[in-house]
Amino acid sequence: MIISNRVSGIRNRSPRLKAATQTGYSLGVTAARIFSTDSLSADRFVLSAVLPAGSDGERQHWIAGSAIEVDIAISPDQNAPYQGIIQGRVDQVTLDPLHNTLHLTGRDFSASLLQHPLRETFVNQTASEIVKHIAGQHNLEPRTTATYAMIGRTDNGGHTKFTLPRHTSATTHWDLLADLARSENYDLYVFGRQLHFHPRSSSLNETAKQLHCGDAIDVRFQRVLPMSATPTVSVESWNAKTQTVIKHFEEFHVNGDLNPIASDLISSGSTLHIMRPNLARSDAELLARQYGGDLLNGMSHLELTVPGDVNLRPREQFILTGSSGLDGTYRIVSLESSFHNRRGFIQKVLAHTM
């Protein structure tokens, strides 16, 4: 592990946070934490607020109210505009009547997808068409990049995507969308009231933010040493349409094209076995490359603590400079944003090498 600690030289700022419910009630927030991730799960928020004195009516709102939605926005400095960072539904309310304080926890609107059981069968539809259909059921605006291959098993009725995968007794709308995202190598997430479904980028974005190591509050690089050598991925599938068995086996060797940080992490030995129905050979090859890339990325990660930046989000890329050996391009996989009315606005970033 390589560690660097310093006190940031960034000038003092006066960040502001505002949180309002769908009824227009504004919260007097004293502290907040927002957890955002690239792991096909809901983003979460935790808010602490002070209620105005003599606010019996407002207390009743929090005690008896249902389906409370909160919109949270942050301004990084006194003169900077507010930018929304999360919008979602409150899951739990804790009210302290002695100290007149309020504690809220909740998730973004992907929570409704996570809790909605799926009882439909989709026939002769593409992944992007299924995403649009489900988004409409949850009052979400679909933001999708079109896909063209039909999804599901081939039978007399065409390509059919069944509700229940093998070995499961129940599934949800989000389970299905996450499965589609993995099969298409797409990113899937909810931001505000938009459901996004786009190709996962593997190349450097021209607008990637540059981050100098000296501007960070804390920097840590960590890697896991594997117990055995060159990781391999084996993919097997029975294609019902062609009545053939598809097998693909791929090794991930160290070569000059790999990021130098990861080049000494690979040793020989273990194989990851994957079995999926109805894969074409090209699909099996793509799946092997995806899982192989995940294996390599999971061996090392970069942790940063930086002054809060509302433009940092999971799936975004940044270029690290000035780190004496760790410079390179990284993809953000998770982000913890912390706001306090006295301590300010900071973010903890977890990123993998590109």
Side-chain angles (χ1 to χ4, degrees), residues 148-209:
Y148 300 97
M150 296 295 176
I151 296 297
R153 192 185 78 179
T154 305
D155 56 20
N156 291 334
H159 289 78
T160 303
K161 184 66 175 177
F162 285 98
T163 296
L164 302 179
R166 290 176 59 191
H167 314 305
T168 61
S169 59
T171 190
T172 67
H173 278 171
W174 187 261
D175 292 329
L176 174 59
L177 296 186
D179 184 54
L180 295 176
R182 294 188 189 99
S183 65
E184 297 288 342
N185 197 26
Y186 268 41
D187 284 325
L188 170 72
Y189 60 96
V190 171
F191 187 74
R193 288 194 174 273
Q194 297 175 346
L195 176 60
H196 290 261
F197 187 69
H198 306 294
R200 187 178 181 90
S201 175
S202 59
S203 58
L204 178 63
N205 190 329
E206 294 181 357
T207 61
K209 179 182 179 66

Side-chain angles (χ1 to χ4, degrees), residues 228-296:
S228 54
T230 310
T232 58
V233 177
S234 172
V235 179
E236 296 185 31
S237 178
W238 168 256
N239 193 301
K241 183 177 182 179
T242 61
Q243 297 290 297
T244 57
V245 175
I246 302 295
K247 292 185 178 181
H248 182 72
F249 183 84
E250 190 159 342
E251 295 182 341
F252 293 86
H253 297 284
V254 176
N255 57 57
D257 296 330
L258 288 178
N259 188 302
I261 294 174
S263 62
D264 64 339
L265 303 181
I266 315 304
S267 43
S268 67
S270 59
T271 299
L272 174 64
H273 296 277
I274 302 170
M275 298 186 68
R276 295 285 176 84
N278 298 302
L279 293 178
R281 185 165 299 279
S282 58
D283 296 330
E285 294 173 357
L286 175 61
L287 193 63
R289 287 194 296 270
Q290 291 174 6
Y291 275 84
D294 290 342
L295 285 173
L296 295 179

Side-chain angles (χ1 to χ4, degrees), residues 19-70:
T21 67
Q22 79 273 28
T23 60
Y25 175 73
S26 183
L27 288 161
V29 176
T30 58
R33 296 171 72 191
I34 296 94
F35 304 89
S36 306
T37 179
D38 185 27
S39 60
L40 295 175
S41 61
D43 291 351
R44 300 179 291 117
F45 61 86
V46 178
L47 296 178
S48 296
V50 176
L51 295 175
S55 54
D56 292 343
E58 293 178 3
R59 287 187 186 181
Q60 193 61 32
H61 168 75
W62 295 107
I63 293 172
S66 61
I68 301 172
E69 298 174 3
V70 174

Side-chain angles (χ1 to χ4, degrees), residues 51 59-60 62-63 93-98 100-103:
L51 295 175
R59 287 187 186 181
Q60 193 61 32
W62 295 107
I63 293 172
V93 177
T94 303
L95 178 66
D96 182 348
L98 297 180
N100 221 29
T101 59
L102 191 67
H103 188 76

